[in-house]
């Protein structure tokens, strides 16, 4: 049987519709003939390359030959973009080779041809029993080493997963751009770990591993080498990281990796860069063997962490320092539990909440002196309607101004705070699980902004009056005009109770550790005139 393959794509052909006359010619439509064994195709392997010979005959002359592939997807099938061969000299015969690579989702190849009189013929090729080729994965999904050492033992490990029994397993090296012969690897199972063990030669650039199953399905993957060096100390981080993704401030952090050296490592240290300066060099234990070992260091996370460097010295008198920059620093969220606010006015009846001003809750007697630090006001808006509002809500209309006036005695400034509507994804469980500011922002961006399509960065909402114990909401600080909310907290309602004299609201609140009220006050304060 000729080379095998899979067929994918779609074909769109527009026939001349306007002005066509009835064709009374007895001439038959084109005849499409495909190569041997391709009218009924089975047993293709994913990844096979197929060369399909097609012959078209048309007494009236061939105008177009086209083909497209139909592939399977989650919703059924879809047709791909057609490939076409158009002929202006209208030959009566046409030979064409269609070359393609069999894909896993290949369903059908459609070949069609039109003659000069717009008659057409169509052939459908539907392969059966497409077989999966073996799949190779290298250990920890690492497929590249920046450097290895000349004349030292090198081991490349991985796993093979195969639907069918393996017929062969081998590796080849690429040195000076020349591909070596195949070297066999012992087969123990169709699903098995493998290890390629070799001595690294000068100018080694790749190790190619091949697995062939009993149906000649081929799986191939390549492990690449950057350079081969005589002697050096190389520091790599776990999971092929090139930086420190996150430092958690206020707790111990761990940095892990591997040391590779052309000779035994004799000294290994690390230091942390904070606010522009490196601290003391701290010793790191040297593993076994001393020329290749994993390491793990524990260091205290700080808000000013910028980088970590690791310095190694070996018996060949080579010293190498690798610096890994810190991408992000996460800080613990400030947590306020059971914040109880009242709509009633008077001494001891707290209407105000401030995230960054102690004692955090205030009544009419002590709010005005620290008015620019007030974030939220719980007040009666109308009969039976109680709202949690930003102080700046007064400028949203007469009704709001009249509602907040009794609570803002002594105020001449009103800070802006964003107060969102309830968000379905912000449940009490989610609220309790979020401990770090960076994790909170990742959640809000993913679950609220993207999935719920609620842009809390640009909304000018300043109140919430739908107090649900199952859905929380967001508060934010930033610029008022134009709106640019930049820092955020999250709120969960613990209890909302109406009484004959007013209402009480009990909240759990989490906010970033830094004082965002003071930070954004220059662009978020409104003048208030009762």
């Amino acid at each position: 049987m000729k080379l095998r393959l899979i067929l994918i794509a779609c074909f769109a052909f527009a026939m001349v519709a306007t002005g066509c006359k009835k064709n009374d010619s007895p001439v038959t439509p084109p005849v499409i003939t495909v190569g041997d064994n391709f009218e009924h195709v089975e047993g293709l392997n994913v990844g096979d390359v197929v060369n399909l010979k097609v012959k078209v005959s048309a007494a009236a002359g061939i105008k177009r030959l086209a083909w497209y592939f139909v592939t399977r997807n989650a919703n059924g099938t879809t047709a791909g973009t057609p490939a076409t061969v158009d002929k202006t000299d209208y030959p009566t015969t046409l030979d064409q080779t269609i070359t393609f690579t069999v894909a896993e989702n290949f369903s059908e190849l459609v070949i069609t041809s039109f003659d000069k009189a717009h008659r057409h013929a169509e052939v459908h090729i539907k392969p059966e029993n497409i077989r999966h080729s073996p799949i190779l994965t290298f250990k920890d999904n690492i497929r590249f080493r920046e450097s290895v050492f000349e004349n030292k033992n090198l081991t490349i490990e991985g796993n093979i997963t195969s639907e069918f029994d393996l017929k062969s397993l081998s590796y080849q090296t690429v040195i000076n751009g020349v591909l070596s012969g195949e070297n066999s690897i012992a087969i123990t199972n169709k699903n098995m770990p493998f290890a390629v063990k070799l001595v690294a030669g000068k100018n080694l650039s790749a190790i190619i591993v091949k697995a062939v199953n009993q149906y000649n399905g081929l799986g191939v993957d390549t492990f690449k080498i950057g350079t081969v060096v005589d002697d050096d100390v190389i520091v790599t981080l776990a999971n092929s990281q090139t930086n420190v993704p996150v430092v958690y401030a206020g707790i111990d952090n761990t940095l892990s990796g591997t040391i590779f050296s052309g000779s035994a490592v004799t000294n290994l240290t690390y230091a942390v860069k904070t606010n522009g300066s490196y601290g003391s060099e701290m010793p790191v234990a040297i593993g076994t063997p001393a020329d290749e070992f994993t390491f793990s260091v524990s260091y205290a996370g700080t808000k000013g962490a910028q980088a970590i460097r690791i310095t190694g010295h070996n018996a060949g008198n080579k010293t190498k320092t690798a610096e890994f920059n810190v991408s992000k620093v996460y800080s613990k969220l400030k947590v306020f539990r059971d914040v109880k606010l009242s709509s009633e006015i008077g001494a001891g009846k707290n209407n105000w909440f401030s995230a960054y001003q102690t004692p955090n809750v205030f009544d009419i007697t002590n709010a005005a002196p620290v008015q620019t630090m007030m974030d939220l006001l719980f007040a009666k808006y109308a009969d039976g309607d109680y709202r949690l509002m930003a102080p700046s809500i007064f400028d949203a209309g007469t009704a709001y101004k009249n509602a907040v006036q009794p609570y803002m005695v002594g105020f001449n400034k009103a800070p802006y705070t964003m107060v969102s509507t309830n968000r379905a994804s912000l449940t009490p469980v989610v609220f309790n699980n979020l401990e770090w500011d960076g994790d909170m922002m990742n959640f809000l961006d993913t679950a609220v902004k993207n999935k719920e399509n609620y842009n809390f960065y640009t909304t000018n909402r300043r109140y919430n009056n739908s107090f649900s114990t199952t859905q929380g909401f967001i508060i934010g600080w930033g610029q008022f005009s134009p709106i640019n909310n930049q820092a955020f907290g999250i709120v969960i309602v613990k209890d909302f109770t109406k009484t004959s004299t007013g209402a009480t609201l009990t909240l759990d609140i989490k906010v970033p550790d830094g004082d965002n009220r003071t930070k954004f006050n220059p662009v978020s304060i409104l003048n208030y005139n009762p």
Side-chain angles (χ1 to χ4, degrees), residues 488-524:
F488 303 92
I490 50 179
V491 183
I492 286 288
V493 174
K494 300 285 289 294
D495 178 71
F496 172 59
T497 302
K498 291 183 180 180
T499 67
S500 59
T501 56
T504 58
L505 182 65
T506 304
L507 308 171
D508 279 355
I509 303 172
K510 291 183 177 181
V511 301
D513 184 55
D515 182 355
N516 287 296
R517 178 80 278 158
T518 300
K519 178 180 179 180
F520 292 106
N521 268 352
V523 292
S524 66

Coordinates of all heavy atoms in Angstrom, one line a residue, residues 488-524:
F488 N -7.8 46.8 45.3 CA -9.1 46.2 45.6 C -9.1 45.3 46.9 O -8.1 44.8 47.3 CB -9.5 45.3 44.4 CG -9.6 46.1 43.1 CD1 -8.4 46.1 42.3 CD2 -10.7 46.8 42.8 CE1 -8.4 46.8 41.1 CE2 -10.7 47.5 41.6 CZ -9.6 47.5 40.8
G489 N -10.3 45.3 47.5 CA -10.5 44.4 48.6 C -11.8 43.6 48.3 O -12.5 43.8 47.3
I490 N -12.1 42.6 49.2 CA -13.3 41.8 49.0 C -14.1 41.8 50.3 O -13.5 41.9 51.4 CB -12.9 40.4 48.6 CG1 -11.8 39.8 49.5 CG2 -12.5 40.4 47.1 CD1 -11.5 38.3 49.1
V491 N -15.4 41.6 50.2 CA -16.3 41.7 51.3 C -17.3 40.6 51.3 O -17.8 40.3 50.2 CB -17.0 43.1 51.3 CG1 -17.9 43.2 52.6 CG2 -16.0 44.3 51.2
I492 N -17.5 40.0 52.4 CA -18.6 39.0 52.6 C -19.6 39.5 53.7 O -19.1 40.0 54.7 CB -18.0 37.7 53.0 CG1 -17.3 37.0 51.8 CG2 -19.1 36.7 53.5 CD1 -18.3 36.5 50.7
V493 N -20.9 39.4 53.4 CA -21.9 39.7 54.4 C -22.1 38.6 55.3 O -22.4 37.4 54.9 CB -23.2 40.1 53.7 CG1 -24.3 40.4 54.8 CG2 -23.0 41.4 52.9
K494 N -21.9 38.8 56.6 CA -22.2 37.7 57.6 C -23.6 37.8 58.1 O -24.2 36.8 58.4 CB -21.2 37.9 58.8 CG -19.7 37.8 58.5 CD -19.3 36.4 58.2 CE -19.2 35.6 59.5 NZ -18.2 36.0 60.4
D495 N -24.1 39.0 58.2 CA -25.5 39.2 58.7 C -26.0 40.5 58.4 O -25.3 41.5 58.3 CB -25.5 39.0 60.3 CG -26.9 39.2 60.8 OD1 -27.8 38.3 60.6 OD2 -27.2 40.2 61.5
F496 N -27.3 40.6 58.0 CA -28.0 41.8 57.8 C -29.4 41.7 58.5 O -30.2 40.8 58.2 CB -28.2 42.1 56.3 CG -29.1 43.3 56.0 CD1 -28.8 44.5 56.4 CD2 -30.3 43.1 55.2 CE1 -29.6 45.6 56.1 CE2 -31.1 44.1 54.9 CZ -30.7 45.4 55.4
T497 N -29.6 42.6 59.4 CA -30.8 42.6 60.2 C -31.5 43.9 60.3 O -30.8 45.0 60.6 CB -30.5 42.1 61.7 OG1 -29.9 40.8 61.6 CG2 -31.8 42.0 62.5
K498 N -32.8 44.0 60.0 CA -33.6 45.2 60.1 C -34.3 45.1 61.5 O -34.8 44.1 61.9 CB -34.6 45.3 59.0 CG -34.0 45.5 57.6 CD -35.1 45.7 56.6 CE -34.6 45.9 55.2 NZ -35.6 46.0 54.2
T499 N -34.3 46.3 62.1 CA -35.1 46.4 63.4 C -36.1 47.6 63.3 O -36.2 48.2 62.2 CB -34.1 46.8 64.5 OG1 -33.5 48.1 64.3 CG2 -32.9 45.7 64.6
S500 N -36.8 47.8 64.3 CA -37.8 48.9 64.3 C -37.2 50.2 64.3 O -37.8 51.2 63.9 CB -38.7 48.8 65.6 OG -37.9 48.9 66.7
T501 N -35.9 50.3 64.6 CA -35.2 51.6 64.6 C -34.1 51.8 63.6 O -33.5 52.8 63.5 CB -34.6 51.9 66.0 OG1 -33.7 50.8 66.3 CG2 -35.6 51.9 67.1
G502 N -33.9 50.7 62.8 CA -32.8 50.8 61.8 C -32.4 49.5 61.3 O -33.2 48.6 61.1
A503 N -31.1 49.3 61.0 CA -30.6 48.0 60.5 C -29.1 47.9 61.0 O -28.4 48.9 61.2 CB -30.7 48.0 59.0
T504 N -28.7 46.7 61.1 CA -27.3 46.4 61.3 C -26.7 45.5 60.2 O -27.5 44.7 59.6 CB -27.1 45.7 62.7 OG1 -27.8 44.5 62.7 CG2 -27.5 46.6 63.8
L505 N -25.4 45.7 59.9 CA -24.8 44.9 58.9 C -23.4 44.4 59.4 O -22.6 45.2 60.0 CB -24.5 45.8 57.7 CG -23.8 45.2 56.5 CD1 -24.7 44.2 55.8 CD2 -23.5 46.3 55.4
T506 N -23.2 43.1 59.4 CA -22.0 42.5 59.8 C -21.2 42.0 58.7 O -21.7 41.2 57.9 CB -22.3 41.4 60.9 OG1 -23.1 41.9 61.9 CG2 -21.0 40.8 61.4
L507 N -19.9 42.3 58.6 CA -19.1 42.0 57.4 C -17.8 41.4 57.8 O -17.3 41.6 58.9 CB -18.8 43.3 56.6 CG -19.9 44.2 56.2 CD1 -19.4 45.5 55.7 CD2 -20.8 43.6 55.2
D508 N -17.3 40.5 56.9 CA -15.9 40.1 56.9 C -15.2 40.8 55.7 O -15.8 40.8 54.6 CB -15.7 38.6 56.7 CG -15.9 37.9 58.0 OD1 -16.1 38.6 59.1 OD2 -15.9 36.7 58.0
I509 N -14.1 41.4 55.9 CA -13.4 42.2 54.9 C -12.0 41.9 54.8 O -11.3 41.7 55.8 CB -13.6 43.8 55.2 CG1 -15.0 44.1 55.3 CG2 -12.9 44.6 54.1 CD1 -15.2 45.6 55.8
K510 N -11.5 41.7 53.5 CA -10.0 41.5 53.3 C -9.5 42.6 52.3 O -10.2 42.9 51.3 CB -9.8 40.2 52.7 CG -10.0 39.0 53.7 CD -9.7 37.7 53.1 CE -9.9 36.5 54.1 NZ -9.5 35.2 53.5
V511 N -8.4 43.2 52.7 CA -7.9 44.3 51.8 C -6.3 44.1 51.8 O -5.7 43.5 52.6 CB -8.2 45.7 52.4 CG1 -9.7 45.9 52.5 CG2 -7.5 45.9 53.8
P512 N -5.7 44.7 50.8 CA -4.2 44.7 50.7 C -3.6 45.3 51.9 O -4.2 46.2 52.6 CB -3.9 45.5 49.4 CG -5.1 45.4 48.6 CD -6.3 45.4 49.6
D513 N -2.4 44.9 52.2 CA -1.7 45.4 53.4 C -1.3 46.9 53.3 O -1.4 47.6 54.3 CB -0.5 44.6 53.7 CG 0.2 44.9 55.0 OD1 -0.4 44.9 56.0 OD2 1.4 45.2 54.9
G514 N -0.9 47.4 52.2 CA -0.5 48.8 52.1 C -1.6 49.7 52.1 O -2.8 49.4 51.8
D515 N -1.4 50.9 52.6 CA -2.4 51.9 52.8 C -2.9 52.5 51.5 O -2.3 53.5 51.0 CB -1.9 53.0 53.8 CG -3.0 54.1 54.1 OD1 -4.1 54.0 53.5 OD2 -2.7 55.0 54.9
N516 N -3.9 51.9 50.9 CA -4.3 52.4 49.6 C -5.2 53.7 49.7 O -5.4 54.4 48.8 CB -5.1 51.3 48.9 CG -4.2 50.3 48.3 OD1 -3.3 50.5 47.5 ND2 -4.3 49.0 48.9
R517 N -5.8 53.9 50.9 CA -6.6 55.1 51.1 C -5.7 56.3 51.0 O -6.0 57.3 50.2 CB -7.2 55.1 52.5 CG -8.1 56.3 52.9 CD -9.4 56.2 52.2 NE -9.5 56.7 50.9 CZ -10.4 56.4 50.0 NH1 -11.4 55.6 50.3 NH2 -10.4 56.8 48.8
T518 N -4.6 56.3 51.7 CA -3.7 57.5 51.6 C -3.0 57.6 50.3 O -2.9 58.7 49.7 CB -2.6 57.4 52.7 OG1 -3.2 57.3 54.0 CG2 -1.6 58.5 52.7
K519 N -2.7 56.5 49.7 CA -2.0 56.4 48.4 C -2.8 57.1 47.3 O -2.3 57.9 46.5 CB -1.7 55.0 48.0 CG -1.0 54.8 46.6 CD -0.7 53.4 46.3 CE -0.1 53.2 45.0 NZ 0.2 51.8 44.7
F520 N -4.1 56.8 47.3 CA -5.0 57.3 46.2 C -5.8 58.6 46.6 O -6.5 59.1 45.7 CB -5.9 56.2 45.7 CG -5.1 55.1 45.0 CD1 -4.9 53.9 45.6 CD2 -4.6 55.3 43.7 CE1 -4.2 52.9 45.0 CE2 -3.9 54.3 43.1 CZ -3.7 53.1 43.7
N521 N -5.7 59.0 47.8 CA -6.5 60.2 48.2 C -6.2 61.5 47.3 O -7.1 62.2 47.0 CB -6.2 60.6 49.6 CG -7.2 59.9 50.6 OD1 -8.2 59.3 50.1 ND2 -7.0 60.0 51.9
P522 N -5.0 61.7 46.8 CA -4.8 62.9 46.0 C -5.6 62.9 44.7 O -5.8 63.9 44.1 CB -3.3 62.8 45.6 CG -2.6 62.0 46.8 CD -3.7 61.0 47.2
V523 N -6.1 61.7 44.3 CA -6.9 61.7 43.1 C -8.3 61.1 43.3 O -9.0 60.8 42.4 CB -6.2 60.8 42.0 CG1 -5.0 61.5 41.5 CG2 -5.9 59.4 42.5
S524 N -8.7 61.1 44.6 CA -10.0 60.4 44.9 C -10.9 61.2 45.9 O -11.9 60.7 46.3 CB -9.8 59.0 45.4 OG -9.2 59.0 46.6

